[in-house]
Amino acid sequence: ITFIMVFSYQSINMAAIENNNLRETSPPDDKKNQRVNGLQFMAHDHSLLGLFFARDGQIMMGCCCCICTEPLERRQRLWLFLYIALSTILVSVYVKLGISSRFHQLVVCVFVIMPSTCFFKSNLGWASRRLHELFPFFRNRLVLRAEEWILVGVAFAAVWHLMDLADDGDGGGDGVGDSRVIETLELALKSWGMQLALEFPCLAWKYLGKSICCPCCIPKNQDMLSLNEDTYMAAV
């Protein structure tokens, strides 16, 4: 934890030097067009904090340049937040219950969750429009969109599977029982909390790289919601 804090602090300081050079090139009274600092960048791109501090329709930096990234609506940011949470919790639960090995967990995290998260950060807007073209019934007749129904279906199937495991265990079968499922879910929530915390050093490193190599990808002050704005209260 100490290493993460020191690493994040040093990365932000190094990037701040580059960012100050960008601020000097802008008119003093044009603060809205100035690039955000490191802490604002982390609040803007964090999967949880971005729901409250980023304006609607802003890009969320994935694994490529901002030119290849589409803007996200706030409900799409919420979908991405729930997707990351669901993926992290499910993988932790299955490993804890012995259904999957830790090697399988590593493979899923590296080759499935991480690439898919990068893809959704960059292309969720495009994917949502494409799903609407293929299945217009969801958006026209139902409250949720097609991608949201998919996420709800995956979550429901996972919960149903865990309930089956708990029932088998209580009945003397090969299941795990209610007590162990609850204990496992608690550990999975802790893993999810660690995942949220680990986003900060990753974003600090990303801010450093963007400040040096691609400063145009750093959001501007006008892309952030301030605490004294009516739009912020509406977002909350």
Side-chain angles (χ1 to χ4, degrees):
I1 295 176
T2 303
F3 171 77
I4 292 174
M5 294 176 62
V6 173
F7 176 80
S8 302
Y9 178 77
Q10 292 296 335
S11 299
I12 292 175
N13 281 343
M14 294 174 63
I17 298 176
E18 299 292 333
N19 199 25
N20 286 336
N21 296 332
L22 294 175
R23 292 176 180 269
E24 293 177 357
T25 61
S26 302
D29 56 343
D30 195 12
K31 295 183 179 180
K32 290 185 178 181
N33 291 323
Q34 292 179 352
R35 303 293 175 179
V36 300
N37 56 36
L39 294 178
Q40 290 174 312
F41 178 81
M42 288 190 290
H44 182 277
D45 268 35
H46 194 270
S47 60
L48 176 59
L49 298 180
L51 295 172
F52 303 95
F53 290 97
R55 289 186 181 275
D56 196 17
Q58 296 298 314
I59 64 172
M60 191 175 185
M61 290 305 304
C63 300
C64 58
C65 180
C66 59
I67 300 178
C68 306
T69 304
E70 289 206 8
L72 296 178
E73 301 176 9
R74 182 161 287 106
R75 66 185 299 171
Q76 292 172 342
R77 281 179 174 264
L78 178 60
W79 186 95
L80 186 61
F81 167 75
L82 295 176
Y83 169 78
I84 297 174
L86 179 63
S87 302
T88 304
I89 292 175
L90 285 181
V91 172
S92 301
V93 167
Y94 283 122
V95 171
K96 178 63 178 179
L97 296 180
I99 301 175
S100 301
S101 63
R102 292 196 176 275
F103 175 76
H104 182 260
Q105 179 187 24
L106 178 63
V107 171
V108 171
C109 290
V110 174
F111 296 102
V112 178
I113 296 179
M114 290 180 59
S116 62
T117 301
C118 292
F119 172 81
F120 288 133
K121 285 183 177 180
S122 303
N123 300 286
L124 182 57
W126 168 84
S128 179
R129 292 193 302 270
R130 182 58 178 167
L131 287 174
H132 175 60
E133 294 175 357
L134 296 175
F135 309 101
F137 172 79
F138 289 97
R139 185 173 295 189
N140 296 337
R141 300 294 181 87
L142 302 178
V143 177
L144 300 179
R145 300 176 180 177
E147 67 272 15
E148 296 168 348
W149 279 111
I150 294 174
L151 190 64
V152 170
V154 172
F156 180 81
V159 172
W160 186 274
H161 187 203
L162 291 177
M163 292 177 62
D164 285 342
L165 291 175
D167 292 339
D168 292 340
D170 292 336
D174 297 331
V176 296
D178 288 334
S179 59
R180 191 179 176 191
V181 168
I182 295 176
E183 178 185 353
T184 303
L185 288 176
E186 292 178 354
L187 294 175
L189 290 176
K190 293 179 181 179
S191 301
W192 176 45
M194 287 297 299
Q195 186 271 333
L196 292 176
L198 289 174
E199 284 191 46
F200 289 106
C202 295
L203 290 173
W205 178 255
K206 186 180 294 186
Y207 179 75
L208 172 63
K210 295 299 180 182
S211 299
I212 298 175
C213 302
C214 192
C216 62
C217 292
I218 298 178
K220 299 180 181 179
N221 287 329
Q222 62 184 3
D223 301 330
M224 301 288 297
L225 287 174
S226 58
L227 295 177
N228 58 349
E229 290 189 51
D230 295 336
T231 50
Y232 175 82
M233 298 305 298
V236 176

